[in-house]
Amino acid sequence: MSLPQSVRLVEVGPRDGLQNEKQPISVADKVRLVDDLTAAGLSYIEVGSFVSPKWVPQMAGSAEVFAGIQHKPGVTYAALAPNLKGFEAALAAGVKEVAVFAAASEAFSQKNINCSIKESLERFVPVMDAAREHGIRVRGYVSCVLGCPYQGEVDLQQVAAVAAELDAMGCYEVSLGDTIGVGTAGQTRRLFETVAAKVPRERLAGHFHDTYGQALANIYASLLEGIAVFDSSVAGLGGCPYAKGATGNVASEDVLYLLDGLGIHSGIAMDALIAAGQRICALLDKPNGSRVARARLARG
Ligand SMILES: CC(C)(COP(=O)([O-])OP(=O)([O-])OC[C@H]1O[C@@H](n2cnc3c(N)ncnc32)[C@H](O)[C@@H]1OP(=O)([O-])[O-])[C@@H](O)C(=O)NCCC(=O)NCCSC(=O)C[C@@](C)(O)CC(=O)[O-]
């Protein structure tokens, strides 16, 4: 299979990246991050989550963040919504695209959203109905596709079954998440081969955390499988509050470098992206998780 000619990056830094941060981050700083990412040319930014603030306190101000950001025409600004309550809050905040999130592991589903996989899918039905009514597009996530922090191995047929359910209920795209970043390139190819038997490749995306340093290899393996949408996080920010020890997503800057090297178009400006990552890392007082950013900054 030949490599895709263009790739869409879904920037999840403001949501997946920041949700795990313990220190308070002001609405103004979150707004600045999203605006910086818009300026860098990202066409899709996951801005926040409409989840329980008791479960994920850092995402509590998501409505204010949506109210504060610049909405550039042609850019999608999305939010997570785990249930109808979250969807209604997102709608009230003017959100035009939401994402629902399920898991391929029962144990993770319970820890993350306090219900079984089956119950979570049932919860999404009214969300999908309301979204259809209001003309809101819905993206789907499946977590723990290559391993679970609680149950270990995950059956790829189970991943395919959950992805197929999300697809059938109307998610226009399903993102497969290696939540704890344990997967390897060979497993990634088998993952997409298996899931593509049930959901067409053009409706699948890859979401790789970089805990074991395999995320770029997994993205390359996914490209070879014909996948053309990847989630990434500026400066490699993040981790999941319900996946202890998992590091952030693959850094957007590093994915961009890979794509540029392959001649694959993404429309993103590297210098502006690096500047956005540096600004948020300075604010959080943490090292930049992008190797490309560190190398470029060291070069001066
Ligand atoms: C799903 C629930 C709400 C169930 O939580 P629950 O406790 O079972 O919910 P409930 O329906 O029993 O309600 C309990 C309380 O929460 C409130 N509530 C109920 N729903 C909402 C809502 N939407 N927004 C705000 N509040 C809400 C509700 O009103 C009530 O308030 P109280 O009466 O106690 O004051 C909870 O488990 C939750 O919010 N979980 C969020 C988990 C989360 O955000 N995880 C991180 C994102 S997923 C991820 O990172 C993985 C991904 C996507 O990146 C891909 C990958 O890497 O794998």
Side-chain angles (χ1 to χ4, degrees), residues 21-51:
E21 287 296 328
K22 298 284 174 284
Q23 55 177 306
I25 307 167
S26 72
V27 167
D29 287 329
K30 290 178 183 172
V31 167
R32 176 67 196 259
L33 174 61
V34 175
D35 288 349
D36 284 351
L37 294 166
T38 298
L42 269 307
S43 64
Y44 191 118
I45 304 171
E46 209 171 67
V47 171
S49 291
F50 291 87
V51 297

Side-chain angles (χ1 to χ4, degrees), residues 15-16 19 50 52 54 83 112 114 143 179 207 209:
R15 193 280 303 171
D16 207 354
Q19 69 183 7
F50 291 87
S52 162
K54 286 185 196 140
N83 52 20
N112 193 38
N114 205 24
S143 286
T179 313
H207 177 111
H209 286 257

Side-chain angles (χ1 to χ4, degrees), residues 24 87 168 197 285:
F87 176 82
D285 194 23

